[in-house]
Amino acid sequence: MKVCNLRKIVAWLLWGMVFVATLEFCARLDDSIRWEAPFFGLYSNEILWQPTAWGRGGRPNAKFEKWEINSQGFRSSEINRHKPNHEIRVLVMGASETFGLYESSGHAFPELLDKNLNRVFPGCYKVINTGFPGMSLPRMCKLFQVVAEPLQPDIVVVYPSPQFYLDVRPPAETFTNRNSLKKDRGNKLELRLKRKLTIILKRILPSSLQTVIRRLALEYMRVRLGVKEAWERPPRKRLEAFNVHLVRLVQEIRAVGCEVILATHANRFGTDLDCDDDFYMYAWIVYYPLATPGGMLYMEASANDIIRDVGEKYRIPVVDLADVVSGRSENFADFSHFTDQGSDRVAKTLAKAVVNLISPDHTIDCR
Amino acid sequence: MLVAASYFFYGYWNWRFLSLILLSTLLDFICGLKIFKAASLSGPLGEKRKKAWLVLSLCGNMGILGVFKYYDFFIGSLENFVSLFGFNPILFHLNLVLPVGISFYTFQTMSYSLDIYRGDMKPTRNFVDFALFVSFFPQLVAGPIERARNILPQIISKRQFSAEKFKEGAHLIFWGFFKKIYVADNLGIFVNRVFDASSPSAYEIVFATYAFAFQIYCDFSGYSSIARGCAKCLGIELMKNFNFPYSSTDIREFWQRWHISLSTWLRDYLYIPLGGNRRGNLLTYRNLALTMLLCGLWHGANWTFVLWGAFHAVLLLGHRVLHLKDKSVDKDSWVLYRHLYRIAGIIITYNLVCLGWLIFRCQTLSQLGQMLSTLWSFPVAFDWALVEPLIWYALPMLLVEAVFQIAKNDYIFQLPYLPTLANSVAYATLFYLLAFHGAEAQSFIYFQF
């Protein structure tokens, strides 16, 4: 009897192992067909990054699913080393919203900005997307110091993400390159199925259940961090740090003779939270356990005020994206990352500001 | 418990329509008992009463169906017809929401009264059992249209649960979901794009119609599989509604394999009572045509559905007139010849059925006319991308169904002579396609009927 049971268990185990192995095989074959991914070896978003002077930067010529990095390490089309005389170069700096997460291929807002500008002035503008996930203002500053000379930008569009200042460890004034990348895992065996299953799970689990799980995770993190009361209003220090870092970046850019355009940060929620917003708000705030949802929105609003003040003080054009796209769910795929539609609106709004700042000489045919 | 679950299931969509299903249930429960009681009376009085109760049951059910499904359609058609003569009457429209599954459960309850009337079964005296037969949730909204003589004995007797049955049920549910989400919903994207376009090309129409043939098959048979699987897990066996219909070699065989519960219902309660094929050729043709026209109308209150029914009536009549069955190849013929004959039969039948699906899928007769006229202007550049949806979505399903046919069993994915582990590979592959390439869920097409 016992032998019989053992046999059954072994047979089921074997069946399960073959099942999982087949799923993994299918996942790899699928990646190979759809994305031309290598069948063996590591294939995750980690292959897009490498350590750079400004922290986690793009690995030249890397490709993961719809994301492609050019030979200079940016999510942009190839950039000519020798800048043509007539070309107006626009550098777009920002975090994951700028890099582009949910937009379909070719629809991140810097790419659409490029298309919009060149539709009106063919060949006159070159927009370079230097956005990377997690880019804080000090990192942008460091990046600018490194790329200003080789890329020779004329205009720099800055789209800062204030939420980093709610982090447990907020951005330091000067960026020091700590080990910002996970250790290179080389060709270590990794189940590709894991990532795919997580995506599916997020798609099929009821949103209310996901919110409950996130709330629990948030509570757990707060307990671990010893947070007695989460911030309804972020400390003044944090806002001051944002101000100082922004001013420093602006000064750094202007010091090399570039024009600056600042953009306020947009999010799905606008100024108030509805009960329907819980799902996305907790998906966001789970990364920032020190703040409450109200504190998060307060930070956004205060940071946008700072951006407007800096713009006024330094006579820099400010594009109020918070006013144009915030609070409209069709513009956002999650809490702050754009959909194709949102990206299109952002690009069109920015294009006007760019053309107002520097427009090409009408007598020159840029092509 | 199951009745409560079934009523909750139906009421979850719209609790107001629970009264309708309850009315239909009560009506046939009482009529069934009365018909049986009247049958025990001897002489013409008994016969008269029996008939009267049957008429009440039929009128009640047809009345519900008529009011909710067909009234506005016929009134609208009448208005259009009269307007041809220069009159513009304003007739009263009900504008009612069509209750989900109304065509299925009314036909099911009618079959109960008809079976008792014909002495094929005895009525149940337990209202709860009967209510469960009418409202059994797996098959309530899109069939199969079950017969009381199949379901009621299973409901009344103590149900047997076993791991084997559960396994088979789980397989059917999984396979149903695969057909619905991976095949039907993905093909639906392509089909909708073509049928919603203002002027699709001839090749687009052809391949979208081919795709629609698989979409509607997988949508409906997927639901039937899920229903059968759920019922099996609960210890109830539902009838098989589809039997590889696109492998039919002629149109008659197609109707023996497609929506079996409806075609047998129409055969048993309409075609045969009308006289079937026993009263000479002309009456047989009339009965066939009438049955198919009503079959078309059952699918929806739209002239395209009536035309679809008429088209199938013509095909069946053609098949009968040409005596194709008699001319089929005999068993002594050369094997290759026999196979070629069979393959040719499958291809011709599939294409004829697809022509029917084109009529079925078009929203209006004018759209149908436009599409048919485009089909005549055939020679445009062929785009291989049109074949891709069929290769990616219909082909895997066909391969699996081929396995079922070889194994003569659709309860488990098991190829003969291959080790059990091979089915682990098969299930994993299908699961992968379903989970990672399944389309966004769409409503079942047959919910609208």
Side-chain angles (χ1 to χ4, degrees), chain B residues 176-193 211 214-220 389 393 434 437-445:
Chain B
F177 274 118
F178 181 83
K179 283 204 274 191
K180 167 67 183 152
I181 295 171
Y182 179 72
V183 187
D185 290 351
N186 274 317
L187 286 175
I189 296 167
F190 167 59
V191 172
N192 292 345
R193 187 168 55 77
F214 288 108
Q215 186 201 350
I216 194 163
Y217 168 58
C218 289
D219 189 282
F220 193 16
Y393 304 120
L434 173 65
H437 291 277
E440 291 280 315
Q442 313 272 320
S443 176
F444 284 94
I445 295 175

Side-chain angles (χ1 to χ4, degrees), chain A residues 15 19 22-23 26-27 30 196 200, chain B residues 423-425 428 432 435-437:
Chain A
W15 198 94
F19 188 87
T22 311
L23 283 181
C26 289
D30 192 12
K196 288 177 188 277
I200 287 291
Chain B
N423 72 23
S424 173
V425 174
Y432 185 88
F436 301 111
H437 291 277

Side-chain angles (χ1 to χ4, degrees), chain A residues 12 15, chain B residues 162-174 229 232-233 410-414 420 423 427:
Chain A
W12 271 108
W15 198 94
Chain B
S162 69
E164 196 57 32
K165 271 191 177 177
F166 191 81
K167 209 165 108 181
E168 290 176 359
H171 164 83
L172 284 172
I173 294 170
F174 172 72
K232 215 175 204 340
C233 292
D410 71 344
Y411 285 143
I412 195 87
F413 194 85
Q414 178 70 69
T420 322
N423 72 23
Y427 275 120

Side-chain angles (χ1 to χ4, degrees), chain A residues 245-281:
Chain A
H245 296 168
L246 184 64
V247 169
R248 231 191 96 207
L249 176 64
V250 166
Q251 286 170 339
E252 192 84 44
I253 296 167
R254 287 183 129 187
V256 293
C258 289
E259 296 288 349
V260 187
I261 295 175
L262 293 176
T264 55
H265 192 252
N267 65 58
R268 183 187 195 92
F269 315 101
T271 46
D272 298 308
L273 279 177
D274 294 331
C275 44
D276 298 342
D277 290 334
D278 265 10
F279 175 71
Y280 291 104
M281 178 45 93

Side-chain angles (χ1 to χ4, degrees), chain B residues 62 65 69-70 103 107 145 220 254-255 258-267 270-271 274 287-302 304-313 316 357 360 446 449:
Chain B
M62 298 304 267
L65 209 53
K69 192 169 177 178
Y70 297 109
S103 307
F107 268 46
I145 304 165
F220 193 16
F254 173 79
W255 277 103
W258 177 271
H259 201 172
I260 298 165
S261 65
L262 176 69
S263 55
T264 51
W265 196 102
L266 291 169
R267 182 196 65 199
L270 185 66
Y271 179 70
L274 281 171
N287 298 341
L288 205 54
L290 210 58
T291 307
M292 291 318 291
L293 281 174
L294 283 170
C295 174
L297 198 60
W298 177 90
H299 281 84
N302 193 329
T304 53
F305 293 128
V306 180
L307 190 64
W308 175 76
F311 174 76
H312 274 277
L316 285 165
W357 290 134
F360 191 95
Y446 265 66
F449 308 138

